[in-house]
Amino acid sequence: MYDGNLLAHALRAGALGRNDAPFVTDRTTGQVTPYRQLWQQADRVAGALIALGVVPGDRVAVQVPKSVSAIPLYMGTILCGAVHLPLNTGYTAAEVDYFLTDARPRVFVCDPTEKSTLEQVAAKAGVATVLTLDAKGAGTLADAVQQAAPIAQAVPRGADDLAAILYTSGTTGRSKGAMLTHENLASNALVLRDLWRFTADDVLIHALPLFHTHGLFVAINVTLMAGGALLLHRAFDAPAVLDDFAHATALMGVPTLYTRLLDEPGLNCDVARNMRLFISGSAPMLTETHHRWHDRTGHWVLERYGMTETSMSTSNPYDGARKPGTVGLPLPGVDLRVVDDAGAAVPVGAVGGVEVRGPNLFAGYWRMPDKTAEDMRPDGWFKTGDLGQLDDDGYLTIVGRSKDLIISGGYNIYPKEVETMIDALDGVVESAAFGVPDPDLGEVVAVAVVLAAGANLDADAVRAGIAADLARFKLPRQVHILPALPRNTMGKVQKAQLRAKFAQG
Ligand code: MCA
Ligand code: AMP
């Protein structure tokens, strides 16, 4: 029976009749949570949130270590009509301050070890309630959930109501909250489930963070809608993941996961024989990595392409040719085009801006209508900021980015954010952040820094100067002190030149 909550209904419908079937196994403890228990917990979380005064549309922000309990927290938030707002566990208090102030959540759930610091941040941002949840599922949230009555019925929410806000870094250095609706999330997961043939027989190895589209909506929603099971790893550990190949059928990863697995001597066709599908995305996978994976395992990785604002937009086919180096074909129901600056389609083979339209497309940036208008054409096409080309068969290749973005191990870092912090240091005139190739993470952050006359900073001092307020994954791995930044005749910093010069470190 339809309960009026679009996403919750779609998630629940996948596992009808599978109450006693396992949903998730915690690979640290071996504890198994069946579907019945998962939904009971989610119903209780919803009850607890309502008891705390959460009303439909309220944001519930979450910065917690990865755990099984983080999943019913997400589902319970949806069930009570609220908006899930997950935050990277690497964010510093200064970064969390920005998100809480911008999003004004009713409830903030954090790691108990960070509570004393973050409680002050939350109070300043006007957050009514701060709860805690640790990697074992313990904390004040668990206490509140235990005392709460489960919600009797999901709070009705329609297609256009918000289900989540995910912050993505911004070109200006200010992160933007991408508003995702019930329809965005439900439609995308349904399409992926069918395209990738996920069923109740599937067991997905889950080794990604739970605060991004990839690990949260692609992995969790698709598995729930298929009635399948998860093997939940709290962090990515290549030998442990390899061990799971014997008990699983599918893996979703960023390219770094695959290159690290390729470094495992035990990776071969025999250990991968139970697996039916390896999916990669979030960052480009080298053609060479595709071939090496095929040589070692006998499987072609299925590469797909997406973005926080669009969820998944393209995928290589399940049957049919998976073309290494491409991100495949537009998903059913998703329109995709490659255009010039004026918005006119370019010929097959030509490079242009990738634009997307469809039920997967987000509702805009939270409280940033100007930024939304800048990226969204009046007829509904969204400018992804990626540069691509289509081949004769309609496969898309991402050839670069018009947006000034660094992707490191699947995490996005906008140079402007790093530059703004370095420029604010005493003795710094200006800086330029850029990505340099890295065999493990694909790209890592490098910076060129120009010092004021007489300033006495070295690379360590620059890193130390920004470390307190910037998540560690954004910290530059290379710092180069230069007399001046290379500029073109228009005065624009030549980042390509810096990238070429410092590619080798
Ligand atoms: C960790 N560190 C990093 C990264 N991860 N530095 C740069 N880039 C990274 N990605 C740093 C930490 O700050 C720490 O620094 C040191 O490396 C060790 O940290 P640890 O946590 O042990 O690292 P790890 O476990 O080896 O993590 C690497 C990882 C992880 C497994 C590749 O970054 C990861 O899970 N990435 C996947 C991200 C993802 O799911 N992206 C999807 C978003 P220090 O030593 O200085 O403290 S994109 C998306 O959702 C779109 C829609 C899409 O298309 O999918
Ligand atoms: P995010 O903003 O974290 O959602 O990251 C989205 C960006 O990741 C996209 O705009 C692309 O630049 C990049 N991306 C995702 N998947 C792929 C892929 N398979 N190949 C190349 N780039 C990708």
Side-chain angles (χ1 to χ4, degrees):
M1 200 189 71
Y2 183 55
D3 62 14
N5 183 306
L6 192 143
L7 179 59
H9 176 78
L11 296 177
R12 225 191 267 267
L16 281 184
R18 289 188 54 75
N19 282 341
D20 298 318
F23 167 66
V24 56
T25 304
D26 184 332
R27 295 301 281 136
T28 309
T29 60
Q31 199 174 351
V32 178
T33 306
Y35 270 94
R36 183 197 312 277
Q37 196 182 332
L38 173 81
W39 281 105
Q40 280 170 351
Q41 282 174 10
D43 287 342
R44 278 184 179 278
V45 169
L49 291 175
I50 289 173
L52 286 166
V54 170
V55 297
D58 275 351
R59 279 75 58 208
V60 175
V62 171
Q63 189 194 35
V64 294
K66 186 174 177 183
S67 75
V68 165
S69 301
I71 302 174
L73 172 55
Y74 150 60
M75 293 157 66
T77 302
I78 300 298
L79 281 169
C80 74
V83 180
H84 183 56
L85 197 165
L87 294 170
N88 192 319
T89 46
Y91 289 148
T92 62
E95 289 165 315
V96 172
D97 187 353
Y98 170 80
F99 298 118
L100 297 187
T101 306
D102 191 55
R104 306 235 160 234
R106 168 84 57 169
V107 173
F108 174 48
V109 187
C110 69
D111 185 338
T113 60
E114 305 293 332
K115 191 179 177 211
S116 56
T117 309
L118 292 179
E119 221 165 21
Q120 292 169 37
V121 172
K124 196 174 120 241
V127 178
T129 305
V130 177
L131 297 170
T132 59
L133 182 68
D134 70 13
K136 294 182 179 146
T140 54
L141 172 74
D143 302 341
V145 168
Q146 229 169 18
Q147 284 156 25
I151 193 171
Q153 208 198 341
V155 173
R157 294 266 91 183
D160 296 335
D161 287 320
L162 292 193
I165 295 178
L166 261 60
Y167 276 86
T168 90
S169 13
T171 36
T172 57
R174 273 187 75 207
S175 290
K176 306 160 290 183
M179 300 190 287
L180 299 162
T181 66
H182 277 241
E183 186 185 19
N184 292 155
L185 300 183
S187 68
N188 208 241
L190 273 173
V191 165
L192 297 175
R193 177 194 70 181
D194 295 343
L195 194 73
W196 295 340
R197 311 268 172 88
F198 271 83
T199 71
D201 293 332
D202 273 303
V203 180
L204 176 71
I205 301 173
H206 194 296
L208 290 168
L210 280 172
F211 44 73
H212 281 308
T213 292
H214 196 166
L216 184 59
F217 302 134
V218 184
I220 303 289
N221 288 355
V222 166
T223 303
L224 280 169
M225 284 189 188
L230 295 173
L231 301 177
L232 193 104
H233 292 244
R234 291 189 191 165
F236 176 71
D237 174 56
V241 166
L242 194 57
D243 273 351
D244 269 358
F245 280 15
H247 323 287
T249 61
L251 173 72
M252 292 180 187
V254 298
T256 301
L257 268 58
Y258 288 97
T259 50
R260 289 191 186 175
L261 284 164
L262 279 164
D263 287 339
E264 289 299 306
L267 179 75
N268 57 41
C269 289
D270 194 40
V271 298
R273 72 182 183 281
N274 200 46
M275 298 286 287
R276 70 169 184 91
L277 186 58
F278 292 97
I279 300 173
S280 178
S282 307
M285 180 177 266
L286 295 175
T287 301
E288 183 218 342
T289 309
H290 277 280
H291 284 279
R292 285 173 61 214
W293 190 265
H294 181 252
D295 291 348
R296 291 278 291 281
T297 67
H299 290 273
W300 286 111
V301 170
L302 185 155
E303 185 165 357
R304 64 23 170 216
Y305 157 73
M307 197 176 168
T308 302
E309 290 88 334
T310 63
S311 294
M312 299 304 101
S313 292
T314 74
S315 170
N316 271 279
Y318 189 81
D319 296 319
R322 297 181 194 166
K323 296 192 194 179
T326 80
V327 294
L329 303 157
L331 297 181
V334 172
D335 295 330
L336 184 141
R337 65 183 192 180
V338 177
V339 298
D340 60 20
D341 288 344
V346 298
V348 167
V351 172
V354 177
E355 299 194 350
V356 171
R357 195 170 64 176
N360 54 324
L361 197 58
F362 75 139
Y365 295 111
W366 172 255
R367 287 173 40 191
M368 286 188 186
D370 294 349
K371 186 66 197 150
T372 307
E374 212 176 283
D375 292 348
M376 202 91 84
R377 293 188 190 273
D379 53 358
W381 288 98
F382 173 68
K383 304 175 204 168
T384 63
D386 289 309
L387 299 173
Q389 68 193 142
L390 292 166
D391 72 10
D392 285 330
D393 301 323
Y395 284 61
L396 178 71
T397 299
I398 302 293
V399 297
R401 297 186 280 268
S402 57
K403 53 194 174 191
D404 192 10
L405 168 70
I406 301 165
I407 305 186
S408 181
Y411 285 159
N412 289 3
I413 302 142
Y414 269 96
K416 187 77 187 164
E417 193 182 355
V418 182
E419 290 162 1
T420 306
M421 294 195 67
I422 294 180
D423 293 352
L425 295 177
D426 266 353
V428 170
V429 175
E430 60 175 350
S431 63
F434 50 98
V436 287
D438 181 79
D440 180 38
L441 296 167
E443 277 184 304
V444 290
V445 180
V447 287
V449 182
V450 178
L451 299 181
N456 189 13
L457 288 173
D458 62 9
D460 286 344
V462 170
R463 279 170 55 87
I466 58 175
D469 289 340
L470 199 65
R472 295 192 71 80
F473 70 87
K474 301 179 193 167
L475 279 185
R477 302 275 174 116
Q478 295 180 18
V479 178
H480 303 282
I481 310 286
L482 300 186
L485 298 178
R487 292 182 187 277
N488 65 11
T489 46
M490 309 288 287
K492 191 170 183 294
V493 177
Q494 299 295 84
K495 291 205 175 171
Q497 212 169 310
L498 288 168
R499 261 191 290 275
K501 183 169 168 147
F502 295 113
Q504 308 303 330

